[in-house]
Amino acid sequence: MMVNAALTPQTPAVRGRLTAAAPLSPLVWFKSGGAAEWLFEPADAADLSDFLADLDPAIPVMGLGLGSNMIVRDGGFPGVVIRLGKAFATVEQLDATTLRCGGGASGILVSSKARDAGIGGVAFLRSIPGTVGGFVRMNGGAYGRETKDILIECDVVLRSGERKTLPLDALGYTYRHSNLPEGAIVVSATFRGHPEAPDGIQAEMDRIAAEREASQPLRSRTGGSTFKNPPGHKAWALIDAAGCRGLRNGDAQVSEKHCNFLLNLGSATSAEIEALGEEVRAKVLAHSGVTLEWEIQRVGEI
């Protein structure tokens, strides 16, 4: 991707890393898609705040975690992608049942720290391949629990550069949705669980890991759960009933192991993956009359 001079961020020297025309395919699970016009990896929340405050408001901004539930389109992202690195992959115990977690901390890290501290109710994060920032934005959930069940508040940097603390009730959570402002980056979140013996928590984490291993294509190039479960239905069952198990478009395929996962078998483009998803949606609508909504975030230019 060529860098558009008109969109060049006019900012003071950043303390983090600012890269032009940065390939995004290595950073997302599908291993497909174009480049970010700019990739910014801030040194800390203050660095991010200063950067966004001085960035032209017309330039789009997007947060990127582990890239596990995202299709980056082949034309790339025309703006700035914010990636939170090690400085944000922290978990701090505040009291007997409360953790403050950096926006770049993975679900595995958070659940493991909770286990070590004897904090129950957080183990479900073990099963979500993402980071705290994504969990907060999308009300990530699995195995009967959601982020809203444990979130107390989150610290965000708004697109303007303003730093704010938002309580749970400000986020307007529904299924896989929040009212987090566009362009806001979650830099930390405070979670609260309940006292529980570490051995019991580990047993629950082991059960979740085994169930995922048995039912999901974990070692494939995939984007995780593709479509939201419609009210009263399971997306995978609707997809299976519509005859889409194993359906292919080039190197893009509907997983034969779990129908609500799309796979990149090798050299699929993002366009092929997204087109396969749209074909699945059309077949499900024709077969059952149910409209599947995308859960995977699709970003950038075609």
Side-chain angles (χ1 to χ4, degrees):
M1 171 189 286
M2 292 185 62
V3 177
N4 184 339
L7 289 182
T8 299
Q10 301 298 316
T11 64
V14 296
R15 290 181 288 112
R17 180 183 300 175
L18 182 62
T19 306
L24 293 178
S25 59
L27 305 181
V28 299
W29 281 28
F30 271 126
K31 303 303 179 191
S32 67
E37 194 157 13
W38 294 92
L39 176 67
F40 181 46
E41 299 167 282
D44 51 34
D47 191 30
L48 174 60
S49 178
D50 291 344
F51 175 84
L52 291 177
D54 290 331
L55 185 67
D56 183 341
I59 298 177
V61 168
M62 178 190 78
L64 174 65
L66 296 183
S68 56
N69 202 225
M70 175 179 289
I71 294 173
V72 175
R73 291 176 170 133
D74 300 310
F77 185 78
V80 180
V81 172
I82 308 292
R83 188 169 187 243
L84 303 184
K86 290 183 179 179
F88 296 88
T90 58
V91 179
E92 174 190 5
Q93 185 174 358
L94 300 183
D95 60 34
T97 58
T98 310
L99 299 171
R100 180 183 291 126
C101 308
S106 69
I108 290 178
L109 177 62
V110 174
S111 58
S112 296
K113 292 287 189 178
R115 174 204 60 207
D116 295 346
I119 300 174
V122 182
F124 74 97
L125 294 180
R126 165 69 177 79
S127 66
I128 309 176
T131 58
V132 166
F135 303 157
V136 171
R137 175 168 289 281
M138 293 300 295
N139 189 23
Y143 298 96
R145 291 182 65 76
E146 297 177 304
T147 300
K148 69 177 179 61
D149 299 325
I150 59 173
L151 183 72
I152 302 301
E153 62 185 22
C154 63
D155 295 320
V156 304
V157 179
L158 300 178
R159 175 61 184 83
S160 64
E162 180 186 358
R163 297 170 68 174
K164 288 187 76 170
T165 298
L166 302 176
L168 171 64
D169 60 10
L171 294 172
Y173 275 139
T174 55
Y175 175 61
R176 302 297 177 266
H177 174 79
S178 77
N179 290 334
L180 198 67
E182 186 73 22
I185 305 296
V186 177
V187 294
S188 72
T190 302
F191 296 140
R192 180 169 294 152
H194 57 260
E196 187 173 336
D199 287 351
I201 299 171
Q202 184 61 56
E204 174 67 2
M205 291 171 65
D206 290 344
R207 182 190 70 80
I208 288 172
E211 188 169 326
R212 289 187 70 229
E213 179 71 33
S215 64
Q216 299 177 13
L218 300 181
R219 290 167 180 78
S220 304
R221 295 181 176 185
T222 182
S225 183
T226 305
F227 302 107
K228 300 177 183 180
N229 289 322
H233 299 278
K234 293 291 187 182
W236 75 265
L238 293 170
I239 295 167
D240 199 15
C244 297
R245 185 182 293 267
L247 185 68
R248 288 185 63 165
N249 178 27
D251 262 0
Q253 182 187 44
V254 176
S255 171
E256 295 183 348
K257 190 171 188 179
H258 192 308
C259 293
N260 199 25
F261 282 63
L262 300 182
L263 308 179
N264 179 356
L265 299 180
S267 59
T269 64
S270 290
E272 289 172 332
I273 295 167
E274 188 170 0
L276 177 61
E278 290 296 342
E279 183 179 357
V280 167
R281 294 180 72 234
K283 287 181 177 294
V284 167
L285 181 61
H287 181 267
S288 65
V290 177
T291 299
L292 293 178
E293 293 185 21
W294 285 90
E295 182 172 333
I296 286 180
Q297 188 180 9
R298 294 159 296 143
V299 302
E301 298 182 330
I302 295 173

